[in-house]
Amino acid sequence: MLLKHTTRTVQAVVRDVEGVLDLDTARIEPADRLRLNDIGRIRVRTAAPVAVEPYLDHRRTGAFLLVDAQDGATLAAGMVGDPLARPQDRPSQYTI
């Protein structure tokens, strides 16, 4: 798959699905995959460095798309960081 971030596109792979958002409790519940329209937390590994910032700080550099490399279809939209975290719980450094 490909990760599109601002004007850059790089090869990427989802390393881990950490969980899915339970809309009733607003908590991330453990999961091993995401289904259509799920909201979840994943870890992505890219083939080249991507300069990202937390979505809550900068919408443009904190968002990305995951795209099918074969047909160009959008598979998912993502945000860097944890928009559900309280400000004091947010890490000062992010990786993607």
Side-chain angles (χ1 to χ4, degrees):
M1 85 176 58
L2 301 173
L3 182 136
K4 294 181 86 169
H5 176 259
T6 61
T7 60
R8 187 157 187 201
T9 301
V10 298
Q11 290 183 333
V13 62
V14 175
R15 279 187 25 195
D16 187 30
V17 175
E18 294 184 357
V20 63
L21 178 66
D22 181 331
L23 296 176
D24 293 327
T25 64
R27 292 184 179 197
I28 298 291
E29 300 294 333
D32 58 353
R33 68 183 208 138
L34 298 176
R35 293 179 175 84
L36 183 65
N37 295 325
D38 275 350
I39 299 170
R41 182 177 294 148
I42 64 170
R43 289 189 185 271
V44 177
R45 181 174 183 107
T46 58
V50 178
V52 299
E53 297 180 81
Y55 181 83
L56 292 175
D57 294 342
H58 300 282
R59 286 178 54 188
R60 179 162 163 69
T61 56
F64 61 91
L65 294 175
L66 294 177
V67 177
D68 187 309
Q70 299 298 319
D71 63 11
T74 299
L75 302 172
M79 297 180 287
V80 176
D82 189 351
L84 299 176
R86 296 174 300 173
Q88 66 269 24
D89 295 336
R90 289 173 39 208
S92 60
Q93 184 177 16
Y94 294 88
T95 57
I96 185 167

